[in-house]
Amino acid sequence: MLFRLLAPAVWSHFLSLVCCSEQTGAGLAACTLGSLKGRGFSAEGDIIIGGIFPVHYNKVFPDTPFTELPGPTRCEIFSQRSYRWVQTMVFAINEINQNATLLPNLTLGFGIYDTCGAVHRGIEGALWMMSGQEVLVPGYRCLPGTPLAAIIGDAGSRISLAIARILGLYSYPLISYFATVPQLSDRRQFPSFFRTIPSDVFQVQGLVRLMQHFGWSWLGLLASEDDYGQMGSQILQKELLQSGACLAFHETVPLLYDKRKIQRIVQVVKSSSAKAIIVFTFESFLMPVVVEMARQNVTGKVWVATEGWSTSHNLANRELLKTMDGTIGFAIRRADIPGLREHLLSVSPNSPTNKSLVKLFWEEMFKCKWPDIQDNLGGSQQLCTGQENLSQLGMATAYSDVSNLRISYNIYNAVYAAAHALHDLHSCKPGEGPFANGGCANIRDFEPWQVIHTKSTILYRQDSQSYLLILVKE
């Protein structure tokens, strides 16, 4: 399918240059889903589902003068948890491809991209998937016969807002597994956005009731300086004031490490008489603040967590537990995914796909270094062989622990939502279809907006109210 939004004839010669290169020696056109500087990987299929994940975090932007083009963003920390999310999507697609009754005689492929939690890389990944190649051409898909059905992503509301605006122009469905800002429920702004996680409207209601239950009316509030933190805290402040509660302070958690701002936050928390502090942010932004809290021996506070960090493994480690002891908060519902652990432990750097990310994952897990990847371990001399065994690491890692699947389950459901929508298109009977005169779509050459108008995806327009209250105590 070559999806044209900008379709004047003058583009025809241009497209022949950017969509497919000249014939190679083997006579095959180089018009395939490839990697973009090691940030993405793909697998072929009759229909493609995209995936956008923050595999890295703690990004560093280059200090570039205005007279030069900026260099690439450096992503410093590999997230085992996020890589589990990636492999959950791969597992779900493999499972669907082995299902004889769901999308029979069709195979799903994928394109997966690492955003590093940066908006520009999220947009870059979405355009890569839409174009189907490394040369990004907005509005055109350069892979005839392999339509892109939907994109699963992103983890953050800030990136999801940017991607959803672009995909909405072309009616590509975006199904988020972790973006919770209420603004995304606005169908006029985001006509093709769906999610498998509740809106923050429901979480705020739960937080206010929790404060009332314990009789906490003098509160502190920390919120990250992104859409998730700022929009969520605005709604929360309004509801808290209406309930009769008062805020002792409201501080903003920086997205990039800022020692001065972090020390100010710690000083405000230490000097405040408020015992309960609500924190509307994500783990990666909160971690530097908590580390400084622990260093200054801040104790005796009740931390009230949103779903963005309530189940964090890193924030529950022994060094921080004295500070975080007694944390209470809301978490996303959990569920089991049979067969996922076996899949996670079967991942290998010798796989024909996803070599770029799996090699970085391998270095993280086994603290080794590939000879062909530079400067990833700060001078470590131990070399990776590819023969290391993930099973020997046990269940103690954030990657292999499947006992508390929450976001992973949302991703699993998102993939199946897209698959069932496609199945509805595939099983459509002429005269009974959802389109003009009861028409049906061609499952091998459909338009992205046709996926949205199926019975399966309509269910995911509704915001679920499924949150779970949890308590963290030493």
Side-chain angles (χ1 to χ4, degrees), residues 77-107:
I77 302 177
F78 189 96
S79 171
Q80 294 184 32
R81 182 190 186 203
S82 295
Y83 193 67
R84 170 167 31 93
W85 298 348
V86 168
Q87 288 300 330
T88 299
M89 177 174 169
V90 174
F91 170 76
I93 287 177
N94 290 341
E95 191 175 69
I96 291 166
N97 286 338
Q98 295 168 12
N99 188 328
T101 60
L102 184 59
L103 293 174
N105 302 318
L106 290 169
T107 58

Side-chain angles (χ1 to χ4, degrees), residues 250-285:
H250 178 191
E251 293 293 321
T252 299
V253 177
L255 302 186
L256 300 177
Y257 180 80
D258 188 315
K259 184 177 180 180
R260 181 181 60 82
K261 289 183 179 180
I262 291 172
Q263 289 181 338
R264 167 183 161 77
I265 292 171
V266 174
Q267 184 58 40
V268 169
V269 171
K270 286 176 64 176
S271 60
S272 175
S273 58
K275 296 299 183 183
I277 302 170
I278 303 175
V279 185
F280 231 110
T281 187
F282 288 108
E283 167 194 332
S284 58
F285 306 141

Side-chain angles (χ1 to χ4, degrees), residues 117-279:
V119 172
H120 72 278
R121 284 186 49 156
I123 294 173
E124 183 180 69
L127 293 176
W128 171 64
M129 294 169 195
M130 290 168 63
S131 298
Q133 57 165 23
E134 293 192 24
V135 179
L136 307 181
V137 188
Y140 290 89
R141 180 154 180 82
C142 301
L143 279 177
T146 56
L148 174 68
I151 293 179
I152 310 300
D154 181 50
S157 295
R158 183 169 54 103
I159 300 177
S160 294
L161 283 164
I163 297 174
R165 290 191 188 279
I166 294 176
L167 296 188
L169 297 174
Y170 307 104
S171 298
Y172 279 103
L174 177 67
I175 310 175
S176 178
Y177 48 89
F178 209 2
T180 58
V181 294
Q183 185 182 353
L184 285 165
S185 297
D186 186 341
R187 288 290 146 213
R188 291 175 296 178
Q189 294 190 65
F190 308 103
S192 61
F193 178 81
F194 306 87
R195 52 184 158 197
T196 54
I197 188 170
S199 161
D200 282 328
V201 169
F202 304 113
Q203 180 168 215
V204 164
Q205 293 172 357
L207 287 168
V208 172
R209 291 179 184 178
L210 183 64
M211 300 304 99
Q212 292 174 327
H213 173 78
F214 287 107
W216 294 333
S217 58
W218 182 237
L219 306 164
L221 176 59
L222 302 181
S224 51
E225 56 183 358
D226 58 358
D227 294 300
Y228 170 73
Q230 295 305 303
M231 292 182 184
S233 63
Q234 287 174 14
I235 300 170
L236 179 60
Q237 286 184 77
K238 180 180 178 180
E239 295 294 327
L240 285 173
L241 291 175
Q242 290 180 353
S243 71
C246 295
L247 288 180
F249 60 84
H250 178 191
E251 293 293 321
T252 299
V253 177
L255 302 186
L256 300 177
Y257 180 80
D258 188 315
K259 184 177 180 180
R260 181 181 60 82
K261 289 183 179 180
I262 291 172
Q263 289 181 338
R264 167 183 161 77
I265 292 171
V266 174
Q267 184 58 40
V268 169
V269 171
K270 286 176 64 176
S271 60
S272 175
S273 58
K275 296 299 183 183
I277 302 170
I278 303 175
V279 185

